[in-house]
Amino acid sequence: MGRLETSDKESVHLVENEIQARIDKVFSNLERLEILSSKEPPNKRQNAKLRVDQLKYDVQHLQTALRNFQHRRYIREQQERQREELLARTFTTNDSDTTIPIDETLQFNESLQNAHRGMDDLIGSGTNILQGLRDQRVTLKGTQKKILDVANTLGLSNTVMRLIEKRAFQDKYFMIGGMIVTCVIMFLVVQYLT
């Protein structure tokens, strides 16, 4: 990794490839070590597995360092290319690359504002619809409560009416029974007292 930092532009790719090849070789050796560590006696197996995991962590750290270096090198090369392109470019007064299309930008801005207003209108109508639904919900809850009150009252009235009809039916039998008993008593009184 020290050679990678100090190498020139031509040999940096060779050093990177060499480091990557060595990291790949270490990874394959670590896989073999992991298999061998699982074959160790139980009292040494945990320690061997811990060492293999530590080595894996170290190699992953090296792999990450290599990738970071490659990323920094790529960004540096890209910046150098852009700098060279900028320095090599010649500008003229009527260069089409330097003109700003104001008409298109204004039309785009107007379209965005129209879309923005349309979205505001949609949100406003959605809010009004939601408010109307809330009001209808409150109204329907009030109506439901009134219907339940009427149903309870009617249920109570039906129960009272059934009790009255049952009582009237029972009273009718008591009256008929009482009339028969009174007639029998009157008949007996007339029969025996006269």
Side-chain angles (χ1 to χ4, degrees):
M1 292 298 284
R3 266 184 31 206
L4 186 62
E5 293 287 339
T6 58
S7 61
D8 57 350
K9 289 182 183 180
E10 290 79 24
S11 62
V12 71
H13 293 293
L14 296 174
V15 176
E16 282 179 2
N17 291 339
E18 182 183 344
I19 291 174
Q20 186 62 50
R22 287 184 181 183
I23 287 175
D24 291 341
K25 187 174 182 182
V26 170
F27 267 126
S28 66
N29 288 338
L30 281 175
E31 288 175 2
R32 285 182 43 214
L33 267 177
E34 190 171 15
I35 293 169
L36 291 175
S37 69
S38 65
K39 294 179 181 177
E40 285 286 321
N43 55 355
K44 293 183 181 180
R45 188 177 302 156
Q46 182 68 24
N47 193 18
K49 184 159 178 53
L50 184 65
R51 287 182 183 175
V52 170
D53 288 342
Q54 181 64 38
L55 286 173
K56 274 187 178 179
Y57 175 76
D58 292 342
V59 173
Q60 286 173 350
H61 183 69
L62 286 174
Q63 181 77 34
T64 305
L66 177 64
R67 285 186 186 140
N68 286 341
F69 177 80
Q70 288 172 337
H71 181 68
R72 285 194 314 267
R73 180 180 54 79
Y74 173 73
I75 290 175
R76 194 169 46 243
E77 288 174 358
Q78 187 178 11
Q79 287 173 347
E80 287 176 8
R81 273 195 313 272
Q82 289 174 349
R83 188 179 309 116
E84 291 298 323
E85 287 175 6
L86 188 60
L87 291 175
R89 186 172 182 181
T90 57
F91 292 97
T92 60
T93 55
N94 292 327
D95 192 0
S96 63
D97 292 339
T98 59
T99 60
I100 301 172
I102 294 200
D103 291 338
E104 293 175 9
T105 307
L106 284 175
Q107 289 175 354
F108 182 69
N109 188 21
E110 286 179 16
S111 297
L112 281 177
Q113 287 180 354
N114 289 338
H116 185 67
R117 275 194 295 274
M119 289 304 293
D120 285 343
D121 292 342
L122 281 175
I123 290 172
S125 65
T127 304
N128 291 336
I129 290 170
L130 280 175
Q131 186 61 40
L133 288 173
R134 285 190 195 110
D135 294 342
Q136 287 178 5
R137 178 177 167 223
V138 169
T139 304
L140 286 174
K141 277 191 172 185
T143 306
Q144 181 185 16
K145 186 177 178 186
K146 287 179 183 178
I147 288 172
L148 288 176
D149 289 343
V150 168
N152 287 337
T153 304
L154 287 176
L156 184 63
S157 298
N158 286 338
T159 305
V160 171
M161 291 300 288
R162 276 191 231 113
L163 287 174
I164 290 171
E165 288 174 2
K166 185 177 178 183
R167 184 67 185 258
F169 189 70
Q170 289 173 351
D171 288 347
K172 185 171 141 184
Y173 281 119
F174 282 127
M175 183 185 72
I176 292 172
M179 287 171 55
I180 292 173
V181 169
T182 305
C183 287
V184 168
I185 292 175
M186 285 174 49
F187 177 75
L188 290 174
V189 168
V190 169
Q191 195 75 19
Y192 290 110
L193 292 177
T194 50

